[in-house]
Amino acid sequence: MTASSLLRDTTFMRFWVGQMAASFAQQMLLVGLGWQIYNLTDSALSLGLVGLARYLPQLALTLYGGHVADNLNRRTIMLISRGVMTLTIAVLAITSVLEIITPAIIYGCCITMGAARAFEMPATQAMVPKLVGPDLLAPALTWTASGREATTIIGPALGGVIYLFGAGALYGTSAACALLSAVILLGLDYRHEQRPRQPMTLDSLLGGFRFTWHNPVVFGSISLDMFAVLVGSVTALLPIVARDILQTGPWGLGLLRSAPAVGAVLMSLYLAWRPIDSRVGVKVFAAVAVFGAMIVLFGLSHSLWLSVIALAVMGAADMISVVIRQTLVQLETPDEMRGRVSAVNSIFISTSNQLGEFRAGLVASLIGAAPAIVIGGLGTLAITALWAWWFPALTRRDRLDMRAGPKTK
């Protein structure tokens, strides 16, 4: 089977289109949240609190979400989660149109959306291997990641333009995309595999952590990604960089938010032509090192176009890391554990993204945005070196497929 088989797989393509609609909703939403909260408060810390409000519910609920994903129909979980997301974004739209929106309303909506994501992410990640099978898993994950990054190019730029007509218009468009994603997935042909339901016990909830901890390749790859992004995240600071350093407006913010995705999509096209099939461990560490170096360059830049280039290269490097990490996690995990292991992966991702945004906002409020970005990039480089030393099994990993690579315990 070849990657082109995915194009003839109507089930996967329906899933893919639904994911893209949801990603459009998310990317446009993030532009609105960042620009609106900064204009309401003029505070870097408030930008960080938006990320924290989305993160804490995911931290509290994702393990339970993984348990649910291993016991109930994963498609149903996705649909309910996206319904909650649609209603929450609609609240942001209505309050913005009525001009009664406050930072408290924004934080409350972020908490609700974080709770919905805690159930959606494990279910979504665990569905993919059942939709395509192991032979097409790496191409499917590459397609999904590249499509998501493509929406990250168009979504923020489109969101910046729509925001010119008001926050309500932006949130309304985002809500429509979220609703569309749910409608598309209604007809998805997904067969839930009935198993004896496991009672919710501490042992069951922690099963994903135990499996991850005892697999150095899986644990090394997802913890590397978590800490690299945690200390190097710049997303929350983009409104400050756009307005105060680069002297641009919402369109410039949309451009900056889109730049990493441009690099990611270009890299995904290259990976579709030349898949990663050897020395995956060395390549993932090299990718994360380039990611950190580009963060440093971005922090030092006072040119819009140099900043865009740095972010684009950063996105290309991140795409390599994402494809390797996600493929390793899914190939090394048995299906009956995928929900819980995906929940662990989701916690790591959420920690790196949302808590990373809070860290960036907090540090920037103390020492300024540019120094915070540079220090974060240097921290990412230090973490890359430490992880290469601490996880030799990941460094030595040659192939993605566990049947072709060294065995792990």
Side-chain angles (χ1 to χ4, degrees), residues 134-142 215 217-218 221 271 274-284 319-333 393-394 396-408:
D135 292 340
L136 287 176
L137 180 59
L141 292 174
T142 301
N215 189 314
V217 171
V218 172
S221 62
L271 292 178
R274 296 286 298 273
I276 300 172
D277 58 2
S278 64
R279 302 185 68 194
V280 298
V282 171
K283 289 173 182 176
V284 76
M319 174 57 73
I320 297 173
S321 174
V322 166
V323 169
I324 292 175
R325 171 175 51 83
Q326 290 188 351
T327 306
L328 285 174
V329 169
Q330 297 299 340
L331 285 176
E332 299 258 328
T333 307
L394 178 58
R396 295 193 300 267
R397 181 75 176 218
D398 184 46
R399 302 184 68 83
L400 288 169
D401 193 332
M402 62 183 178
R403 293 166 297 185
K407 295 184 181 298
T408 56

Side-chain angles (χ1 to χ4, degrees), residues 159-197:
V161 173
I162 296 175
Y163 197 94
L164 296 175
F165 298 94
L170 175 62
Y171 293 138
T173 306
S174 177
C177 288
L179 178 60
L180 176 62
S181 73
V183 171
I184 289 173
L185 291 176
L186 274 173
L188 183 69
D189 182 18
Y190 173 74
R191 296 182 180 179
H192 172 61
E193 184 176 335
Q194 294 287 348
R195 303 189 188 94
R197 291 191 181 181

Side-chain angles (χ1 to χ4, degrees), residues 178 198 230 264 326:
Q198 301 180 29
L230 176 63
Q326 290 188 351

Side-chain angles (χ1 to χ4, degrees), residues 37 40 95 100-107:
I37 196 69
L40 285 173
T95 54
I100 59 173
I101 195 165
T102 64
I105 291 175
I106 293 175
Y107 296 142

Side-chain angles (χ1 to χ4, degrees), residues 38-394:
Y38 192 50
N39 281 327
L40 285 173
T41 65
D42 215 31
S43 166
L45 182 59
S46 294
L47 289 168
L49 289 174
V50 167
L52 186 64
R54 291 164 50 216
Y55 166 69
L56 290 179
Q58 294 183 49
L59 180 64
L61 296 172
T62 297
L63 284 182
Y64 179 62
H67 172 83
V68 171
D70 279 338
N71 287 275
L72 301 178
N73 191 307
R74 292 163 182 169
R75 187 193 68 164
T76 302
I77 297 169
M78 289 174 59
L79 289 171
I80 294 174
S81 300
R82 289 186 182 172
V84 172
M85 291 283 291
T86 301
L87 292 175
T88 306
I89 301 171
V91 170
L92 291 169
I94 293 169
T95 54
S96 294
V97 169
L98 297 177
E99 297 183 350
I100 59 173
I101 195 165
T102 64
I105 291 175
I106 293 175
Y107 296 142
C109 288
C110 287
I111 290 171
T112 304
M113 289 185 289
R117 291 281 287 173
F119 291 89
E120 180 194 26
M121 288 182 70
T124 303
Q125 293 177 25
M127 275 183 67
V128 179
K130 296 293 288 184
L131 291 175
V132 300
D135 292 340
L136 287 176
L137 180 59
L141 292 174
T142 301
W143 261 81
T144 302
S146 62
R148 183 177 62 247
E149 296 298 342
T151 65
T152 309
I153 299 172
I154 304 169
L158 183 60
V161 173
I162 296 175
Y163 197 94
L164 296 175
F165 298 94
L170 175 62
Y171 293 138
T173 306
S174 177
C177 288
L179 178 60
L180 176 62
S181 73
V183 171
I184 289 173
L185 291 176
L186 274 173
L188 183 69
D189 182 18
Y190 173 74
R191 296 182 180 179
H192 172 61
E193 184 176 335
Q194 294 287 348
R195 303 189 188 94
R197 291 191 181 181
Q198 301 180 29
M200 191 188 70
T201 63
L202 184 62
D203 183 69
S204 175
L205 288 178
L206 297 180
F209 272 115
R210 283 198 305 274
F211 179 88
T212 302
W213 177 260
H214 288 98
N215 189 314
V217 171
V218 172
F219 182 66
S221 62
I222 64 177
S223 61
L224 170 65
D225 178 84
M226 182 187 78
F227 283 102
V229 177
L230 176 63
V231 303
S233 176
V234 300
T235 304
L237 303 182
L238 292 183
I240 300 176
V241 173
R243 196 186 77 173
D244 299 342
I245 297 177
L246 301 178
Q247 305 294 312
T248 185
W251 70 271
L253 174 60
L255 190 62
L256 291 175
R257 290 195 68 97
S258 299
V262 172
V265 169
L266 292 176
M267 178 55 69
S268 70
L269 293 175
Y270 176 78
L271 292 178
W273 174 51
R274 296 286 298 273
I276 300 172
D277 58 2
S278 64
R279 302 185 68 194
V280 298
V282 171
K283 289 173 182 176
V284 76
F285 282 111
V288 177
V290 172
F291 180 86
M294 290 302 102
I295 292 173
V296 174
L297 178 60
F298 176 70
L300 296 174
S301 172
H302 284 77
S303 163
L304 175 61
W305 297 111
L306 179 59
S307 298
V308 167
I309 291 171
L311 291 174
V313 176
M314 184 184 77
D318 187 52
M319 174 57 73
I320 297 173
S321 174
V322 166
V323 169
I324 292 175
R325 171 175 51 83
Q326 290 188 351
T327 306
L328 285 174
V329 169
Q330 297 299 340
L331 285 176
E332 299 258 328
T333 307
D335 184 64
E336 64 272 14
M337 287 287 297
R338 281 197 177 112
R340 283 166 288 173
V341 173
S342 294
V344 174
N345 189 34
S346 296
I347 289 177
F348 278 52
I349 294 172
S350 300
T351 298
S352 63
N353 291 337
Q354 273 72 59
L355 196 58
E357 290 182 19
F358 176 70
R359 177 214 58 82
L362 179 62
V363 175
S365 70
L366 298 174
I367 64 175
I373 293 170
V374 172
I375 290 173
L378 294 175
T380 297
L381 291 172
I383 285 169
T384 305
L386 283 174
W387 257 244
W389 179 41
W390 286 345
F391 293 93
L394 178 58

